[in-house]
Every structure is written in C-alpha cells, then in structure tokens.
Amino acid sequence: MSNESDGDLIFKALAHRRRREILDLLKDAPRTTGMLCEAFTDMDRCTVMQHLKVLEEANLVIARKDGRERWNHLNSLPIKQIHDRWISAYAGHALSILDRLKNDLES
Amino acid sequence: MSNESDGDLIFKALAHRRRREILDLLKDAPRTTGMLCEAFTDMDRCTVMQHLKVLEEANLVIARKDGRERWNHLNSLPIKQIHDRWISAYAGHALSILDRLKNDLES
C-alpha cells in the first residue's frame, strides 16, 4: 500500500458482497474467468468481469493470460497490509472493551 | 454484523481516508462534533457531519447528546467482526505465501 488512497481502493473493492465471494473462491485456487462465471450463475459474464476489474484496480486480483484463457489469482498482500496498519488496532480496541465489560459484570 | 450487506456498509464507511482519520481520533477518546471540526480545519462542518453520518449508518460511531453537545463514540465491534469473519483469513493466506517464498529463496 503505497499511500492512503490505495487503502481507499482496497476497502472500496471489499465493499461488495459479490466481490468478497469472488475472492473467497480465489483463496482456494486460481480460476479462469469462465470458471468464475460458472460459479455465479445468477450474474452475467459482464457483471463478473466488472467486479474483476474493480478487484484488479485494487491489486487484489492479478490476471495471467494462458492461451485464450485468463487465470485470475488472489493477491492477499494488500488485505494483510490494511490488517496490519489498521484493522488489527481496532480489533484490539474491541477486545479491550469486551474485557472491561466482562470484568465489570464479574465484579 | 447481522448479514452480508452490513459488511458492505462497514467496508464502504472505511473506504475514505477522512473517515478512517475520524475513527483514529475517536479510538483515543470520544469527541464532540465541534472538537472533530477543530481537528480537521481543512474540512467544513457540513463535510465532517456527512462523514459522521456514514460512520453512524455503519454502526461504527454512536452519538450521545449531552445538553447542546453531541458526543461521538467509536464502536469498534463491527470492525472486529469483519476482522474475525473475513480479514484474518486473508492475512493468514498472505503470511503463508510469504513463508513459502522465503523457503523457496532459502532452498
């Protein structure tokens, strides 16, 4: 993540349930665009490709051409970066609140 | 997080650097809307209030009235929820890729 606006792009890409579902599939293994379309029969090919474009712009998906096929690979590093720089501090904050609440209830 | 569309709201709220900066301030202590406006002199009051509205809709900020003042409190639990349900698995995935890369380089 080179700067804060990259963070904006990543969070924006994650802000759609369908895009998170695509990433969940790619977490298991790379897939061709055709395979992704088959996995989401309720979306047309154009919509799947639009979601892939947003994910590529946020650097969360890297595409490799192999002949006529386009293999989509997950790049999880930007998610690790927002985790380390940002999310983990808030998860820690929430845990400390929950601990305090638990202690208050017990005392 | 009651359902997946709540996840959309949370990621969308986080997808703006200014809103993340507001949360960073509230992580230290609750602040009145006036205090937040003073902290961000390059934003007008209306813009600050619009950002607060998006954060409230995502349940990341809880406002309490005290006389004429409106105190904004961070609610970090939804961020912990997206961390636990989603982000942590990807951070783990990235770590395993980095480990594999390290081993490949060393061998």
Side-chain angles (χ1 to χ4, degrees), chain B:
Chain B
M1 186 155 44
S2 61
N3 59 46
E4 283 301 318
S5 57
D6 288 354
D8 289 4
L9 273 183
I10 296 163
F11 280 115
K12 202 176 150 195
L14 297 178
H16 196 294
R17 177 175 66 86
R18 256 33 228 290
R19 290 197 286 269
R20 297 198 297 279
E21 287 172 358
I22 290 174
L23 292 181
D24 278 341
L25 273 183
L26 299 182
K27 183 149 57 74
D28 297 331
R31 318 251 166 164
T32 64
T33 305
M35 285 163 149
L36 289 173
C37 292
E38 278 169 31
F40 297 103
T41 48
D42 55 338
M43 278 195 282
D44 60 33
R45 189 178 178 88
C46 184
T47 308
V48 172
M49 289 179 74
Q50 277 170 354
H51 284 314
L52 282 173
K53 188 163 175 273
V54 176
L55 291 169
E56 270 196 275
E57 284 168 355
N59 200 25
L60 295 172
V61 164
I62 296 169
R64 296 264 178 270
K65 275 262 181 188
D66 182 16
R68 290 181 58 192
E69 289 189 311
R70 187 181 180 281
W71 284 86
N72 302 283
H73 297 252
L74 167 68
N75 178 23
S76 51
L77 288 178
I79 302 181
K80 184 178 179 322
Q81 284 166 338
I82 60 166
H83 170 270
D84 293 353
R85 282 205 192 188
W86 214 81
I87 299 283
S88 60
Y90 285 81
H93 181 273
L95 269 184
S96 69
I97 300 278
L98 290 173
D99 269 351
R100 207 185 309 159
L101 190 67
K102 187 168 165 275
N103 289 335
D104 286 353
L105 288 172
E106 283 173 355
S107 64

Side-chain angles (χ1 to χ4, degrees), chain A residues 55-106:
Chain A
L55 290 168
E56 269 196 276
E57 283 167 356
N59 200 24
L60 294 172
V61 163
I62 296 169
R64 297 264 178 270
K65 277 261 183 189
D66 182 15
R68 291 181 59 194
E69 289 189 310
R70 188 182 180 280
W71 284 86
N72 302 283
H73 297 252
L74 167 68
N75 179 22
S76 51
L77 287 179
I79 302 182
K80 184 179 180 320
Q81 285 167 335
I82 59 166
H83 170 270
D84 293 352
R85 283 203 191 190
W86 214 82
I87 298 283
S88 61
Y90 284 81
H93 181 273
L95 268 184
S96 70
I97 300 278
L98 290 173
D99 270 350
R100 207 185 308 159
L101 191 68
K102 185 168 166 277
N103 288 335
D104 287 353
L105 288 172
E106 285 172 352

Side-chain angles (χ1 to χ4, degrees), chain A residues 15-77:
Chain A
H16 196 294
R17 176 174 67 85
R18 255 35 227 290
R19 290 196 288 269
R20 297 198 298 279
E21 287 172 359
I22 291 173
L23 292 181
D24 279 340
L25 273 183
L26 299 181
K27 184 149 58 72
D28 297 332
R31 317 249 167 165
T32 64
T33 305
M35 286 164 148
L36 289 174
C37 292
E38 278 168 32
F40 298 104
T41 48
D42 55 336
M43 279 195 282
D44 60 33
R45 190 179 176 88
C46 184
T47 308
V48 172
M49 290 180 74
Q50 277 170 354
H51 284 314
L52 283 172
K53 188 164 177 274
V54 177
L55 290 168
E56 269 196 276
E57 283 167 356
N59 200 24
L60 294 172
V61 163
I62 296 169
R64 297 264 178 270
K65 277 261 183 189
D66 182 15
R68 291 181 59 194
E69 289 189 310
R70 188 182 180 280
W71 284 86
N72 302 283
H73 297 252
L74 167 68
N75 179 22
S76 51
L77 287 179

